[in-house]
């Protein structure tokens, strides 16, 4: 069972969300990926306006329309537009089919302005996915969170299900930064398939806190899946990372929506 | 698990100073490669990235490869910023019978428009040696602060290839170093690539559409990347049997045979 935590529409060929989703699923099928999570629309928008947030989420909803049995949407929200984000959470998660929220690079997640967004997502049982990177080359964006920002957020929201996107990119630091916070899970997606990443995550966090994701189509499903398939871990740990953990995390919200996990 | 023979053109021996990995001892690495169906591995030396005693580096590389002659084909280290690199080239060829050399211009502090590069192109062509240029060893975003280097700018390769068209050249780990359209230009000029850092969903397939199946060689970037990450890209891109055979074996054989 392989569930991919981290996929996008931007960067795929196709004019419409439906066309792009069909291509994404074709590639996922080749790799044996049964289910995947999808966030953000046809183009990447770094600092979306409220209108852009709505449009981006509409595009994901459109892409999901024929794939509800295999794909789950995360609602794109922004710490720069808290009220609009709360409205989107009501529309897409509380009243819609989405099961998580996605925070990208508009505002660092340690900022208290995000508290109401994370609190509402937590009430709904939605997974909170936060992009994180520790960039060493001077390209860190002003609003780009590091795993340390997420650790700060975790202290304020101990009941939230928080995902550390990309394990912070520089995973040796990212794993350490979130290690003490049991409600933070790490996403393996979107970095080079550097040997040792998965082993360190399992050793330091436990396999229950490690989630397979690809960041396709920016990344190859193959290169990211290879991290888990080749890691020197037990078969049981591999199963947890490839899908059982994500299934467990999404189970309550899916069941609340009357859907099978 | 092995499902087809592979020639892996992007393998290193010895240790990366910033990260210890489980297969950085030669015996463990050889075991892994054999399990994966690798029938020949073009092996460079990670010592050659940092150690200025290049002749010692190549001596050790040759000695280890000689212990596994059925598998390891040594690719000697050259540092074109050092005096008398020409003698290192000579030793690689005459003393060790190496079939190629590997360059790390960003770690050695020169660019590909340096005069020594043209001189190497001419000398290597004369000796029928493959030249591998490593564009990047680690994503710039994750490099250790004490050893941060930019990727290698590849544009000067075009002039070198036009001036020495018989040169046999492969760029390793090229993806992050390539400007839009540059892979096509370089491939048309005769440069080959490896797939270790090719990214994007179906990324190998789209690269093959742009440069053709005969300019891409299998490379896994052992021991620093997970091997399966390279192998699975072939399945993801569903290239067809003929193109896969070219990438996995035939292109490498052709490049070495021509050398």
């Amino acid at each position: 069972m392989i569930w991919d935590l981290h996929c996008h529409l931007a960067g795929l060929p196709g004019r419409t969300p439906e066309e792009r989703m069909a291509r994404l699923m074709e590639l996922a099928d080749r790799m044996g990926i049964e289910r995947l999570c999808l966030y953000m629309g046809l183009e990447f928008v770094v600092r979306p306006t409220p209108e852009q947030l709505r449009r981006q989420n509409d595009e994901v909803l459109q892409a999901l329309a024929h794939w509800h049995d295999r794909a789950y949407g995360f609602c794109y929200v922004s710490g720069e537009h808290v009220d609009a984000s709360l409205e989107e959470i009501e529309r897409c998660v509380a009243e819609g089919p989405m099961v998580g929220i996605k925070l990208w690079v508009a505002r660092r997640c340690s900022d208290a302005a995000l508290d109401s967004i994370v609190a509402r997502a937590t009430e709904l049982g939605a997974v909170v996915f936060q992009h994180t990177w520790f960039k060493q080359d001077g390209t860190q964006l002003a609003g780009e969170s590091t795993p340390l920002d997420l650790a700060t957020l975790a202290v304020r929201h101990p009941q939230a299900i928080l995902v550390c996107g990309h394990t912070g990119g520089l995973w040796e630091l990212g794993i350490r930064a979130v290690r003490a916070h049991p409600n933070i899970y790490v996403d393996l997606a979107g970095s080079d398939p550097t040997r040792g990443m998965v082993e360190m995550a399992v050793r330091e966090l436990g396999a229950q806190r490690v989630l397979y994701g690809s960041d396709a189509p920016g990344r190859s499903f193959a290169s990211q899946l290879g991290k888990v398939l080749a890691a020197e871990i037990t078969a049981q740990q591999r199963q947890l990372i490839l899908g059982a953990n994500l299934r467990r995390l999404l189970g309550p919200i899916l069941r609340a929506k009357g859907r099978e996990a | 698990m092995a499902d087809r023979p592979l020639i892996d053109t992007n393998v290193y021996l010895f240790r990366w100073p910033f990260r210890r990995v489980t297969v950085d001892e030669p015996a463990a690495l050889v075991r892994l490669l054999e399990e994966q169906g690798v029938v020949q591995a073009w092996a460079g030396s990670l010592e050659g990235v940092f150690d200025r005693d290049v002749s010692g580096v190549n001596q050790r590389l040759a000695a280890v490869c000689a212990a596994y002659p059925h598998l390891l084909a040594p690719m000697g280290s050259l540092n074109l910023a050092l005096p008398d690199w020409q003698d290192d080239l000579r030793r690689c060829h005459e003393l060790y019978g190496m079939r190629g050399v590997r360059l790390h211009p960003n770690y050695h502090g020169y660019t590909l428009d340096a005069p020594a590069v043209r001189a190497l192109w001419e000398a290597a062509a004369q000796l029928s040696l493959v030249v591998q240029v490593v564009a990047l060893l680690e994503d710039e975003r994750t490099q250790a602060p004490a050893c941060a280097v930019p990727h290698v700018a590849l544009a000067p390769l075009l002039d070198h290839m036009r001036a020495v068209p018989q040169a046999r050249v492969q760029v390793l780990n090229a993806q992050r170093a390539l400007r839009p359209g540059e892979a096509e230009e370089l491939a048309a000029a005769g440069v080959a690539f490896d797939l270790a850092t090719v990214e994007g969903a179906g990324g190998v397939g789209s690269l093959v559409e742009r440069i053709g199946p005969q300019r891409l060689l299998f490379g896994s970037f052992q021991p620093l990347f997970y091997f399966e990450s390279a192998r699975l890209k072939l399945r993801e891109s569903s290239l067809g049997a003929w193109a896969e055979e070219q990438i996995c074996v035939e292109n490498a054989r052709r490049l070495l045979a021509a050398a």
Side-chain angles (χ1 to χ4, degrees):
Chain A
M1 179 181 76
I2 305 175
W3 287 25
D4 190 324
L5 168 70
H6 190 160
C7 295
H8 301 292
L9 294 170
L12 285 161
R15 290 168 305 159
T16 65
E18 290 87 346
E19 286 177 7
R20 295 190 187 195
M21 191 64 180
R23 175 64 178 156
L24 190 68
M25 297 308 285
E26 179 191 346
L27 292 165
D29 281 344
R30 283 188 198 155
M31 305 313 297
I33 295 164
E34 291 174 32
R35 301 192 193 189
L36 54 81
C37 298
L38 190 68
Y39 13 106
M40 305 200 290
L42 297 182
E43 305 296 334
F44 286 130
V45 184
V46 172
R47 296 180 64 185
T49 63
E51 294 73 27
Q52 286 172 321
L53 283 175
R54 189 176 180 88
R55 190 178 322 127
Q56 293 253 316
N57 289 325
D58 281 344
E59 287 166 353
V60 170
L61 290 168
Q62 207 175 324
L64 295 175
H66 299 294
W67 298 97
H68 284 300
D69 56 333
R70 293 188 57 193
Y72 305 120
F74 279 41
C75 177
Y76 188 18
V77 296
S78 165
E80 288 192 313
H81 304 291
V82 172
D83 290 343
S85 294
L86 290 169
E87 284 174 22
E88 283 300 279
I89 292 172
E90 291 310 302
R91 180 173 80 94
C92 299
V93 182
E95 295 160 18
M98 294 193 182
V99 297
I101 66 168
K102 161 74 186 241
L103 287 154
W104 198 22
V105 293
R107 177 171 280 183
R108 285 185 173 230
C109 66
S110 52
D111 193 321
L114 276 77
D115 278 348
S116 55
I117 293 174
V118 176
R120 181 58 180 143
T122 303
E123 282 173 4
L124 294 168
V127 172
V128 177
F129 183 102
Q130 172 64 64
H131 162 101
T132 66
W133 259 92
F134 274 123
K135 291 178 176 166
Q136 305 297 298
D137 63 346
T139 59
Q140 193 96 21
L141 300 170
E144 189 167 21
S145 299
T146 72
L148 287 169
D149 290 304
L150 192 62
T152 301
L153 185 71
V155 172
R156 296 204 303 268
H157 297 272
Q159 302 306 314
I161 304 168
L162 302 174
V163 177
C164 178
H166 310 287
T167 316
L170 187 50
W171 45 268
E172 290 102 328
L173 270 63
I175 291 167
R176 294 175 67 88
V178 304
R179 187 164 53 184
H181 304 279
N183 61 324
I184 300 182
Y185 300 79
V186 294
D187 156 49
L188 298 175
S191 59
D192 284 342
T194 312
R195 189 182 291 279
M197 177 190 197
V198 178
E199 288 88 338
M200 181 181 174
V202 168
R203 185 183 73 230
E204 297 298 323
L205 308 175
Q208 289 82 357
R209 290 175 61 190
V210 184
L211 305 168
Y212 159 70
S214 63
D215 204 4
R219 289 276 176 175
S220 152
F221 282 119
S223 73
Q224 306 302 298
L225 202 49
K227 293 176 181 173
V228 188
L229 296 178
E232 294 177 32
I233 55 177
T234 68
Q236 189 184 10
Q237 289 167 334
R238 205 179 321 279
Q239 283 184 348
L240 287 170
I241 295 168
L242 286 175
N245 287 336
L246 182 55
R247 184 180 191 177
R248 185 183 72 245
L249 295 178
L250 294 180
I253 191 167
L254 285 171
R255 282 190 289 276
K257 292 175 182 295
R259 295 169 66 185
E260 207 177 301
Chain B
M1 298 299 280
D3 52 6
R4 67 157 59 246
L6 295 165
I7 294 178
D8 190 336
T9 62
N10 189 356
V11 170
Y12 279 92
L13 296 182
F14 311 122
R15 292 186 191 169
W16 179 240
F18 304 104
R19 184 174 299 123
R20 193 70 211 271
V21 295
T22 54
V23 288
D24 57 15
E25 294 292 344
L29 180 60
V30 164
R31 197 162 47 245
L32 169 84
L33 292 169
E34 287 176 338
E35 284 169 3
Q36 294 293 341
V38 174
V39 295
Q40 184 180 68
W42 298 6
S45 172
L46 285 171
E47 292 179 346
V49 180
F50 299 101
D51 191 335
R52 292 191 179 96
D53 177 11
V54 172
S55 49
V57 165
N58 286 330
Q59 191 177 39
R60 289 189 291 278
L61 176 69
V64 171
C65 290
Y68 305 97
H70 64 290
L71 183 69
L72 299 181
M75 306 300 277
S77 285
L78 277 193
N79 181 343
L80 301 185
L82 294 179
D84 200 24
W85 58 263
Q86 293 87 345
D87 197 58
D88 293 318
L89 181 69
R90 182 191 63 78
R91 292 188 205 192
C92 287
H93 177 63
E94 288 180 14
L95 205 55
Y96 304 124
M98 293 176 179
R99 310 286 297 279
V101 291
R102 195 170 284 181
L103 307 182
H104 303 92
N106 49 351
Y107 284 88
H108 294 162
Y110 64 90
T111 53
L112 291 177
D113 53 9
V117 176
R118 177 65 59 84
L120 170 64
W121 249 238
E122 289 165 353
Q126 204 158 24
L127 298 172
S128 296
L129 294 174
V130 172
V131 178
Q132 293 185 308
V133 179
V134 184
L136 196 67
L137 285 170
E138 188 171 7
D139 185 333
E140 294 101 319
R141 295 172 297 177
T142 63
Q143 292 173 351
C147 193
V149 296
H151 62 251
V152 176
L154 300 172
L157 289 182
L158 271 181
D159 279 347
H160 297 316
M161 297 306 292
R162 286 174 186 141
V164 190
Q166 70 274 32
R168 304 293 165 175
V169 177
Q170 183 187 20
V171 180
L172 302 179
N173 298 346
Q175 169 120 345
R176 292 182 67 82
L178 288 166
R179 291 180 286 104
E182 195 166 35
E184 293 89 324
E185 285 178 341
L186 290 169
V191 173
F193 300 92
D194 85 306
L195 57 72
T197 57
V198 175
E199 278 293 348
V204 165
S206 40
L207 180 61
V208 166
E209 280 175 20
R210 292 186 282 125
I211 68 170
Q214 294 188 299
R215 290 283 185 242
L216 186 63
L217 282 62
F218 184 84
S220 68
F221 195 28
Q222 292 309 294
L224 297 177
F225 279 10
Y226 291 110
F227 190 94
E228 280 74 358
S229 291
R231 173 188 289 285
L232 288 171
K233 288 176 188 172
L234 299 168
R235 193 204 315 171
E236 182 178 35
S237 285
S238 190
L239 300 165
W242 184 82
E244 276 195 26
E245 188 65 15
Q246 301 303 303
I247 292 165
C248 293
V249 177
E250 293 303 326
N251 294 340
R253 280 195 181 141
R254 218 166 17 245
L255 199 62
L256 266 198

